[in-house]
Amino acid sequence: MIHAKVFLKKGKEISIQRLHPWIFSGAIQRIESNAIEGGWVEVLDFKGTTLGFGHYQNGSIAVRILSFEIQPPEDDFYVKRFYAALLLRNASGLPSDVTNAYRFIHAEGDGLPGLIIDYYDGVVVIQAHSAGMHNDREKISEALQKVFGFHLKAIYYKSHGTLPGKMRDDNTEGYLHGMAVVPHIIFENNVKFYIDWEQGQKTGFFLDQRENRKLLGGFSKNKKVLNTFCYTGGFSIYALHAEASLVHSVDASQKAIELTEKNLELNGFDKSIHQCFAQDTFDYLKDKQDEYDVIVLDPPAFAKHRDARHQAVRGYQRLNTEAMKKIKQGGILFTFSCSQVVDRQLFYDTIVSAAIHAGRQIKVLHHLSQPADHPVSIFHPEGEYLKGLVLYVE
Ligand code: SAH
């Protein structure tokens, strides 16, 4: 199973000893025998002491450490990791009587860099972000079947958009086990959603906003709510369940708008109190003054890499300034960033700057993050990608 030995330069062992799982290519002194793309390697310090084992990949992150033990991982490696992940979810109250969909594996947060798995009531969707996880997909599938047993109807592999370009072939999309009909219905806090992993974005649904959607409910009664970047309409439907007087949903993608409409229907809401707009959020906001009591801004990651960070910050600033200017007096703004490279402090500073530009008095009511099924290893703070604020705009 272990193909090669990767020796680190002197001093580069420190971050590994602190259990951070990434080894950048510049930290490598030499590799003994051939490291295969996506193969398992042993990682050693410059003196030859074993530091751990992980997946090798040609790229800026050359090794993703999967085990910090000195013994090589055994055949039941994935099974053990999956049981540990299940224990964490169960300790967090997932699944429950009201929620039957959750993130089962959150990459580094579950000791499995490169691997995302979402569970949708009997169906799991795997998203590999590394060559190693792609290579190991059959082992992962077997381990999932062992851990979930007969409860598992299907395993869908969806990695076409997340693997490096050269790896995107016919094997990056499709069922690894069983089959299930899409769309599939799940419950989240008793709200129903259609899930389509075959056509949808990412694994089909954004499970990371579960608690923030619930919180929005508490601010929505008798309010006019605008949900921008709505995708499947998650925030919109929670606002309607909480008796908002009117909800408008905006997304640039016509497909997303169709999903929102289907989910509204599934939850029994008619068009008298809800309208959808397939439009760019910036364009939509242009001529809307003092129309909404509550606005949700949940854009896609404006920056996926460090180089794009400055541009992303300007994007967040412009978007938030616009919403702050347009919202009614005494309005509530739910604002988010899911860019990993924009950390909590930078996001906060960007919002402060937007408030200055908008010329509004603003109070922070809540700091938001991702829920417990998206855990963050304390040694890998980069795992905290979702940042949000609830603001009161005077
Ligand atoms: N809030 C959603 C997730 C948002 S994902 C939820 O709770 O599930 C981001 C969405 O933004 C995508 O659906 C994408 O189509 C949409 N989008 C991207 N750029 C946009 C823009 N400029 N204006 C409006 N929508 C946009």
Side-chain angles (χ1 to χ4, degrees):
M1 181 162 149
I2 311 298
H3 297 287
K5 291 185 180 208
V6 174
F7 291 85
L8 301 187
K9 290 177 185 162
K10 192 173 175 193
K12 297 295 181 188
E13 69 282 359
I14 294 171
S15 80
I16 308 303
Q17 285 162 344
R18 287 193 192 136
L19 307 184
H20 191 286
W22 294 347
I23 296 173
F24 291 97
S25 53
I28 296 174
Q29 183 204 61
R30 71 192 154 91
I31 300 177
E32 252 178 36
S33 77
N34 259 349
I36 302 166
E37 179 79 348
W40 280 77
V41 293
E42 180 177 354
V43 177
L44 308 96
D45 70 6
F46 71 104
K47 287 193 254 169
T49 308
T50 304
L51 298 168
F53 298 84
H55 283 148
Y56 180 81
Q57 185 162 339
N58 289 311
S60 139
I61 302 177
V63 183
R64 290 169 172 84
I65 303 249
L66 297 161
S67 163
F68 293 95
E69 309 278 313
I70 51 168
Q71 294 300 328
E74 293 172 355
D75 284 349
D76 61 352
F77 170 77
Y78 287 110
V79 173
K80 278 190 182 149
R81 282 281 195 277
F82 290 171
Y83 275 124
L86 210 51
L87 274 182
L88 186 154
R89 271 69 189 171
N90 293 165
S92 315
L94 289 166
S96 72
D97 291 346
V98 293
T99 301
N100 60 17
Y102 58 90
R103 176 149 291 187
F104 174 57
I105 295 296
H106 187 58
E108 287 84 357
D110 285 298
L112 292 166
L115 186 64
I116 295 289
I117 303 181
D118 285 340
Y119 177 88
Y120 298 121
D121 187 27
V123 177
V124 296
V125 181
I126 304 175
Q127 199 183 56
H129 288 252
S130 68
M133 289 302 177
H134 179 60
N135 279 2
D136 284 358
R137 62 193 181 283
E138 287 299 338
K139 270 191 206 146
I140 291 168
S141 168
E142 281 164 25
L144 284 167
Q145 291 171 57
K146 196 158 187 180
V147 170
F148 285 103
F150 64 88
H151 294 292
L152 201 58
K153 290 193 273 284
I155 300 176
Y156 192 76
Y157 187 62
K158 186 169 186 178
S159 304
H160 196 76
T162 53
L163 286 168
K166 58 180 187 274
M167 303 200 68
R168 291 181 199 161
D169 57 31
D170 295 346
N171 297 320
T172 51
E173 207 99 8
Y175 288 94
L176 297 178
H177 164 75
M179 215 166 191
V181 178
V182 283
H184 178 78
I185 297 174
I186 57 118
F187 288 95
E188 180 190 277
N189 293 316
N190 263 341
V191 179
K192 286 185 234 166
F193 288 101
Y194 283 119
I195 311 288
D196 184 346
W197 45 83
E198 293 179 14
Q199 298 296 324
Q201 299 177 29
K202 306 280 174 84
T203 66
F205 190 67
F206 288 90
L207 293 161
D208 56 359
Q209 290 288 19
R210 183 192 312 115
E211 286 171 7
N212 303 329
R213 291 182 187 125
K214 193 170 171 184
L215 188 68
L216 177 81
F219 289 95
S220 300
K221 191 167 180 173
N222 299 328
K223 296 288 168 39
K224 290 186 176 168
V225 178
L226 171 65
N227 178 21
T228 64
F229 307 93
C230 67
Y231 185 35
T232 51
F235 283 103
S236 307
I237 295 164
Y238 275 68
L240 288 166
H241 272 297
E243 298 175 42
S245 57
L246 179 82
V247 177
H248 286 164
S249 303
V250 175
D251 199 290
S253 144
Q254 179 62 38
K255 250 191 188 168
I257 291 299
E258 282 160 22
L259 280 173
T260 297
E261 279 173 343
K262 278 175 74 177
N263 281 328
L264 283 159
E265 215 181 286
L266 181 67
N267 286 277
F269 296 113
D270 66 40
K271 291 192 172 157
S272 61
I273 46 167
H274 185 275
Q275 244 181 306
C276 283
F277 302 88
Q279 215 177 326
D280 174 88
T281 298
F282 290 97
D283 289 345
Y284 182 84
L285 281 172
K286 253 182 210 149
D287 59 345
K288 305 287 183 299
Q289 192 61 53
D290 300 327
E291 217 175 281
Y292 299 106
D293 304 293
V294 179
I295 299 181
V296 180
L297 302 175
D298 182 25
F302 282 165
K304 295 222 165 79
H305 302 285
R306 249 159 213 286
D307 330 347
R309 188 162 52 183
H310 180 65
Q311 200 60 22
V313 165
R314 287 175 58 149
Y316 290 122
Q317 197 210 78
R318 195 159 74 89
L319 179 65
N320 282 275
T321 303
E322 203 56 19
M324 286 170 182
K325 280 184 180 165
K326 300 293 162 96
I327 202 166
K328 271 191 197 169
Q329 210 173 356
I332 297 288
L333 185 62
F334 272 63
T335 182
F336 298 95
S337 161
C338 59
S339 303
Q340 198 176 49
V341 295
V342 175
D343 67 18
R344 188 165 285 282
Q345 188 61 47
L346 180 57
F347 181 60
Y348 190 89
D349 294 344
T350 307
I351 300 304
V352 172
S353 158
I356 293 167
H357 278 85
R360 303 283 299 254
Q361 269 295 335
I362 293 194
K363 306 274 156 68
V364 178
L365 307 188
H366 293 279
H367 290 262
L368 306 179
S369 186
Q370 61 218 49
D373 52 335
H374 295 61
V376 182
S377 157
I378 211 149
F379 305 112
H380 179 260
E382 298 93 329
E384 191 198 345
Y385 68 100
L386 185 63
K387 284 89 32 189
L389 292 166
V390 182
L391 306 172
Y392 179 73
V393 187
E394 287 182 342

